[in-house]
Amino acid sequence: GEIITLLAGVSGPQTLLTYCAPTHTAASADPWITNVSINDLNYSSGATAASPHMDDVPASVATTTLSAGNTYALTISTTGTTYPNSIISVWFDWNRDGTLSAGEWYQPWTSAATGSINVTVPANAAAGLIKMRIRSRGSGNTNGSGDACTTGFGSGECEDFVINIASSTYSFVWEPGNLTGNSITVAPTSTTSYIATATDPTTGC
């Protein structure tokens, strides 16, 4: 009887592309990123120990799958002594070309320590493994759309995450019930197994 939403998507290549490596040169990572959550990814950390203050989080530690066309809350927290407030930038490689571009950039805040934004995965996002990059800096410093790869930043740190994008451009039929769409809401009254069948609109497979 409980209402639940089921999502289906088609996964793309499960090999992560090579991305640029930014650096932060300050002795301390202040302000550092303490928590990141989106969908079922929830990662807590302390400051990276030494420059370049880069935390490349492996998928075995924290990852999630996001479905194209759907919206997710991204919540981030930071802390610092010199900089109690931070400026945050986030990039998602939506087109999976190995470049974190200005068009794939979000700025949750420019002077705060925690906050959330809603991120909508583009309907035409490329399926497969991509990188999500989060950079912190002390409030009042530069941290903009073109800084995904900037080296030599002073304050702050960078955290990278592996995200799997599931395509929703396919058509889906669910059984039981002959329900359609990549997202359905059901309320089974007993143990029920649901099967989603995806069809490529181009090839019919």
Side-chain angles (χ1 to χ4, degrees), residues 7-118:
L7 298 172
V10 177
S11 293
Q14 297 298 290
T15 301
L16 190 66
L17 301 173
T18 300
Y19 291 84
C20 61
T23 61
H24 293 253
T25 60
S28 168
D30 186 333
W32 58 90
I33 301 163
T34 55
N35 184 263
V36 174
S37 65
I38 183 169
N39 199 29
D40 56 356
L41 181 157
N42 193 332
Y43 180 73
S44 295
S45 65
T48 49
S51 180
H53 303 306
M54 172 71 182
D55 188 5
D56 197 356
V57 181
S60 59
V61 173
T63 189
T64 191
T65 295
L66 306 181
S67 294
N70 289 328
T71 299
Y72 301 88
L74 170 63
T75 301
I76 302 167
S77 297
T78 64
T79 191
T81 303
T82 304
Y83 294 101
N85 286 331
S86 59
I87 175 173
I88 294 291
S89 281
V90 182
W91 294 264
F92 292 84
D93 186 17
W94 294 132
N95 62 359
R96 199 176 180 273
D97 65 353
T99 300
L100 298 163
S101 67
E104 299 170 318
W105 169 75
Y106 303 80
Q107 188 140 73
W109 66 78
T110 58
S111 182
T114 187
S116 297
I117 58 168
N118 288 326

Side-chain angles (χ1 to χ4, degrees), residues 123-151:
N124 62 348
L129 296 184
I130 68 165
K131 181 156 283 191
M132 174 181 71
R133 172 163 294 169
I134 302 174
R135 295 193 80 172
S136 68
R137 289 204 78 192
S139 181
N141 289 286
T142 300
N143 190 9
S145 62
D147 289 319
C149 299
T150 300
T151 58

